[in-house]
Amino acid sequence: MTIWTAVNEELARWTHLGRRCPLWLRDDDAVAASAQLDRLLKRCAQADIPLGLAVIPADAEPSLAEVLAGHAFVTPLVHGWSHTDHAAPGRKKCEFGPERPPEVRQSEAERGLSTLRGLFGDQLLPLFVPPWNRMAPDMPARLSASGYRAVSAFGPSPAPCDGIAWINTHLDLIDWRGSRSAIPLDALLDLLCRELRDRREGRRNPAEPIGLLTHHRVHDAAIWDLLDRLLDRLADHPALEWPAIGKLGAGRLG
Ligand SMILES: [Zn+2]
């Protein structure tokens, strides 16, 4: 028995059924070229997997567009506007929560989309990643009216509504509430197993891609190592597939 045994056994069941589970990787808080970003891009290229890169529009620098221009496997996404916490005191951090009027939130979301379109052109997908993975319930309709096609937050993806597809992430590599370093590999693999099993056994939509979530700007050695170990095993496993980011969400974005 190794730490990977349960995952390997679960993936063998998918193979036996002739099925493949879609996976994707989202990395958040990108603003500029950096050694950390280079490392992430190199790792994804080496693993031959696409990357959804959530960019903070208000802070995005031209160097980021220059770095991504040569990398067709990277798809920039809109990470809120300025990653500012507007939540009421004592509430969970949130940039697009109900504390602010919907028109203000909508105009910021529109500004984020137009700013990043100016930087990345057609490389950008109209996919909104709310900072801290939360936003007010009226936001999907507002985002749809602003030209967005999809949202990515965290946890089980809701069904499409208001013209918005949900393409969430499910496995966060960072233990934010504890060490702020890597989550233990065995804990992460337990969660991965559960996501796979729930899809195989029909408790979840089997077409919902499992999303991994990273934050390259704060990675320490342990987090990079965890990402390496996951990609070593999962990037080319025959029971898994890594669709282009634009093909996620039943092709609504492509
Ligand atoms: Zn963020």
Side-chain angles (χ1 to χ4, degrees), residues 28-29 56 79 83 131-132 215:
D28 285 3
D29 299 349
I56 303 172
H79 197 28
H83 219 299
W132 299 286
H215 285 75

Short mmCIF file of all heavy atoms in Angstrom, two decimals, residues 28-29 56 79 83 131-132 215, ligand 1:
data_model
loop_
_atom_site.label_atom_id
_atom_site.label_comp_id
_atom_site.label_asym_id
_atom_site.label_seq_id
_atom_site.Cartn_x
_atom_site.Cartn_y
_atom_site.Cartn_z
N ASP A 28 -4.23 31.44 -9.35
CA ASP A 28 -4.83 32.75 -9.08
C ASP A 28 -3.80 33.84 -8.76
O ASP A 28 -2.68 33.55 -8.35
CB ASP A 28 -5.79 32.66 -7.89
CG ASP A 28 -7.11 31.96 -8.25
OD1 ASP A 28 -7.25 31.50 -9.40
OD2 ASP A 28 -7.98 31.88 -7.37
N ASP A 29 -4.28 35.08 -8.91
CA ASP A 29 -3.57 36.29 -8.43
C ASP A 29 -2.40 36.71 -9.31
O ASP A 29 -1.50 37.44 -8.85
CB ASP A 29 -3.08 36.13 -6.97
CG ASP A 29 -4.23 35.92 -6.00
OD1 ASP A 29 -5.40 36.10 -6.40
OD2 ASP A 29 -3.96 35.58 -4.83
N ILE A 56 -5.48 39.59 -11.86
CA ILE A 56 -6.12 40.73 -11.19
C ILE A 56 -6.05 41.94 -12.12
O ILE A 56 -4.96 42.50 -12.33
CB ILE A 56 -5.41 41.04 -9.85
CG1 ILE A 56 -5.42 39.81 -8.94
CG2 ILE A 56 -6.09 42.24 -9.17
CD1 ILE A 56 -4.56 39.96 -7.68
N HIS A 79 -9.88 37.90 -12.69
CA HIS A 79 -9.94 37.66 -11.24
C HIS A 79 -10.44 38.92 -10.53
O HIS A 79 -9.66 39.69 -9.94
CB HIS A 79 -8.55 37.26 -10.75
CG HIS A 79 -8.56 36.62 -9.38
ND1 HIS A 79 -9.62 35.91 -8.88
CD2 HIS A 79 -7.59 36.57 -8.41
CE1 HIS A 79 -9.31 35.46 -7.67
NE2 HIS A 79 -8.10 35.85 -7.35
N HIS A 83 -9.03 42.88 -6.33
CA HIS A 83 -8.83 41.97 -5.19
C HIS A 83 -8.90 42.72 -3.87
O HIS A 83 -8.10 42.51 -2.95
CB HIS A 83 -7.50 41.22 -5.32
CG HIS A 83 -7.57 39.78 -4.90
ND1 HIS A 83 -7.90 39.39 -3.63
CD2 HIS A 83 -7.38 38.62 -5.59
CE1 HIS A 83 -7.88 38.07 -3.56
NE2 HIS A 83 -7.58 37.57 -4.74
N PRO A 131 -12.63 36.92 -6.44
CA PRO A 131 -11.65 36.80 -5.38
C PRO A 131 -12.26 36.14 -4.14
O PRO A 131 -13.43 36.39 -3.81
CB PRO A 131 -11.24 38.26 -5.11
CG PRO A 131 -11.38 38.91 -6.45
CD PRO A 131 -12.63 38.28 -7.03
N TRP A 132 -11.48 35.30 -3.50
CA TRP A 132 -11.89 34.49 -2.34
C TRP A 132 -13.04 33.54 -2.69
O TRP A 132 -13.71 32.99 -1.81
CB TRP A 132 -12.26 35.37 -1.14
CG TRP A 132 -11.11 36.21 -0.68
CD1 TRP A 132 -9.99 35.78 0.00
CD2 TRP A 132 -10.90 37.61 -0.90
NE1 TRP A 132 -9.13 36.82 0.21
CE2 TRP A 132 -9.66 37.97 -0.32
CE3 TRP A 132 -11.64 38.61 -1.54
CZ2 TRP A 132 -9.14 39.26 -0.34
CZ3 TRP A 132 -11.13 39.90 -1.56
CH2 TRP A 132 -9.89 40.22 -0.97
N HIS A 215 -1.61 29.04 -6.27
CA HIS A 215 -1.35 30.50 -6.17
C HIS A 215 0.16 30.70 -6.28
O HIS A 215 0.86 30.79 -5.27
CB HIS A 215 -1.84 31.03 -4.82
CG HIS A 215 -3.32 31.19 -4.70
ND1 HIS A 215 -4.17 30.13 -4.53
CD2 HIS A 215 -4.10 32.30 -4.74
CE1 HIS A 215 -5.42 30.59 -4.45
NE2 HIS A 215 -5.40 31.89 -4.57
ZN ZN B 1 -7.21 35.69 -5.43
#
